[in-house]
Amino acid sequence: MQSKIETKPRLAGVDLCRGIAAYAVVLVHSGDPSWGRISHFSQEIEYLFSFPVPFFLAASFYFMICKFNADFSLATWKARCRRILIPYIVWTVIYLIVKIIFFSALNQKQELNHLLRNPFLIIFYGGASFQLYYLPLLLVGTSLIIFANFFTKPKIGLKILVSLSLFSLILYNLLLITGNTVYLHDDLAFQNLFNLVSYDVSKNEFLRFISIELAWLVRCLPYFFIAMTLRYLLLKTNFSLLRVKFVSANLLLGLFIVADIYSNPILAGFREVFLGYSLLLYSIVLSNYLKPNSVIKNLGLCSFGIYLIHPFAINIMEIYLKKTQPQLLEEVTIFSQLAFSIPSFIMSWLAVFILMKNKRIVKYLFGV
């Protein structure tokens, strides 16, 4: 049966939202608690701009599973893993080299020892730089594609897929509200569960590895099953995202905004996944009404690179502002975050744009 999934070479709405999500990452990271007091509004900003990773995960699973003539073969899985693993290795090496040189030049032995204290954190969990954790997380999630063929069988209907989506959402939500998710600062998972049996999992690298991989897998499950559900709707029914009316698109945007503002720790997992998919679906529908242009296309193409490279730009801005506007570093405010994030975002975008002119660099740095 011919697929009913409609696709375009580039979806302008998706590219735009990718760029917005990339800027949101830069904005959230443009405030260092070590500077001093953090304003209440800046603390709220971190919560309101927590949608980028959910959006990137939703987009990754949706386009992996719902693309035209999707191939779930082992060869496709291997190729996709290489596209994630190679940039992860390259960026890990880059950040390690730069930080070792920087800490050594400034004689910051404590920071250097902290960086190199555990090679496993660097190798498996993105310990070389805080934003790199997304790549091993995505790699774990990509392993689910191995099971995609099973969930496309005729006996797996819409009710089963919806039930699995809901079950996986509940499971992930329980992981969050019980405090057993992955804590990036400590690179530990199921910490409260291990505390119940008075066991220090940080002393057992194999158990730490298994627990983190399992927690990441639980996080990715709802994204996977919702994508499988959407695939079923796109293939088996007359539903088409490219025929959704503009009023419905605005409704999706309204739901996203409500979920973004909504604060209830008991529903943290539901909120996260809903943020990702509501923004993704809105961006796809928006593509019907947003004329493609080279700037938006380039922003979408560069968004992944901006996500990876932006800490360098933020560090450059910090050095510059220490000399020119040191008062901005006395307190983290929305003004100081904007002063950091806007130039950092532009510098990151420009750097990625220049790097992407070289096909070999693109392959190794960005997996394209």
Side-chain angles (χ1 to χ4, degrees):
M1 181 177 66
Q2 186 175 358
S3 172
K4 294 181 183 178
I5 297 177
E6 300 176 59
T7 58
K8 294 181 180 180
R10 298 294 304 185
L11 295 173
V14 177
D15 282 336
L16 177 62
C17 287
R18 278 177 172 149
I20 292 171
Y23 173 72
V25 172
V26 180
L27 178 64
V28 169
H29 292 160
S30 295
D32 190 339
S34 65
W35 297 345
R37 195 174 72 88
I38 303 177
S39 70
H40 175 73
F41 191 64
S42 291
Q43 293 175 349
E44 293 298 321
I45 285 292
E46 185 172 356
Y47 182 80
L48 294 174
F49 284 80
S50 60
F51 63 84
V53 169
F55 170 75
F56 288 138
L57 283 174
S60 179
F61 277 95
Y62 177 87
F63 290 111
M64 177 174 63
I65 290 170
C66 297
K67 66 181 180 180
F68 186 77
N69 292 331
D71 181 11
F72 302 134
S73 66
L74 186 60
T76 301
W77 176 76
K78 289 180 178 178
R80 184 169 178 81
C81 286
R82 282 196 298 269
R83 289 179 59 187
I84 300 171
L85 188 58
I86 292 174
Y88 175 64
I89 294 172
V90 172
W91 282 101
T92 294
V93 172
I94 289 173
Y95 276 105
L96 268 180
I97 292 173
V98 170
K99 287 188 174 182
I100 289 172
I101 293 173
F102 180 80
F103 291 147
S104 299
L106 296 179
N107 197 29
Q108 296 180 343
K109 294 181 180 180
Q110 185 176 352
E111 286 79 0
L112 183 60
N113 291 335
H114 180 76
L115 174 67
L116 302 177
R117 73 190 189 281
N118 192 332
F120 285 92
L121 303 183
I122 296 171
I123 296 170
F124 295 110
Y125 320 123
S129 187
F130 51 84
Q131 83 284 2
L132 290 181
Y133 88 94
Y134 174 73
L135 294 180
L137 167 65
L138 187 58
L139 191 63
V140 170
T142 300
S143 66
L144 292 169
I145 197 176
I146 298 173
F147 306 101
N149 275 324
F150 174 79
F151 293 105
T152 59
K153 292 180 178 180
K155 64 179 181 180
I156 306 295
L158 182 61
K159 289 183 179 179
I160 294 177
L161 291 173
V162 171
S163 298
L164 289 170
S165 298
L166 183 59
F167 173 76
S168 61
L169 268 170
I170 293 172
L171 187 64
Y172 177 49
N173 194 69
L174 285 173
L175 187 75
L176 287 178
I177 65 177
T178 57
N180 287 304
T181 189
V182 179
Y183 290 95
L184 292 178
H185 295 295
D186 301 319
D187 294 290
L188 297 173
F190 296 98
Q191 193 167 5
N192 286 340
L193 189 62
F194 285 113
N195 287 341
L196 287 175
V197 293
S198 302
Y199 183 79
D200 187 1
V201 69
S202 63
K203 295 180 179 179
N204 187 326
E205 289 300 339
F206 177 75
L207 194 56
R208 183 211 293 259
F209 174 78
I210 295 299
S211 63
I212 289 178
E213 299 301 298
L214 181 58
W216 276 344
L217 193 65
V218 171
R219 181 177 185 179
C220 291
L221 275 175
Y223 293 96
F224 171 76
F225 282 120
I226 292 174
M228 294 301 304
T229 304
L230 289 171
R231 183 180 189 275
Y232 182 95
L233 291 172
L234 294 168
L235 285 171
K236 304 292 185 180
T237 71
N238 292 323
F239 174 73
S240 172
L241 288 169
L242 299 184
R243 290 200 295 267
V244 175
K245 301 299 182 182
F246 190 65
V247 174
S248 300
N250 287 328
L251 177 61
L252 281 170
L253 179 60
L255 291 173
F256 165 77
I257 293 172
V258 170
D260 194 29
I261 297 172
Y262 182 71
S263 177
N264 188 337
I266 298 177
L267 299 175
F270 287 91
R271 174 186 177 270
E272 177 194 311
V273 179
F274 187 83
L275 279 177
Y277 269 107
S278 61
L279 184 57
L280 172 66
L281 295 179
Y282 169 72
S283 69
I284 295 173
V285 176
L286 180 65
S287 301
N288 298 321
Y289 308 96
L290 185 65
K291 292 183 179 180
N293 64 70
S294 57
V295 175
I296 292 178
K297 179 181 178 180
N298 184 263
L299 178 60
L301 289 169
C302 292
S303 59
F304 182 53
I306 294 170
Y307 174 86
L308 291 170
I309 207 172
H310 76 273
F312 289 125
I314 290 177
N315 288 335
I316 291 171
M317 283 303 301
E318 184 176 359
I319 294 170
Y320 172 75
L321 290 175
K322 276 183 178 179
K323 295 181 178 180
T324 59
Q325 302 289 332
Q327 67 275 12
L328 288 176
L329 305 180
E330 295 175 358
E331 181 184 5
V332 179
T333 64
I334 183 58
F335 182 74
S336 69
Q337 286 180 294
L338 290 174
F340 265 89
S341 62
I342 294 174
S344 298
F345 179 77
I346 294 172
M347 282 192 292
S348 300
W349 186 359
L350 181 61
V352 175
F353 173 71
I354 294 171
L355 290 171
M356 288 189 73
K357 293 181 180 295
N358 186 301
K359 291 183 178 180
R360 182 170 294 182
I361 289 177
V362 165
K363 176 182 177 182
Y364 289 105
L365 287 185
F366 310 123
V368 179

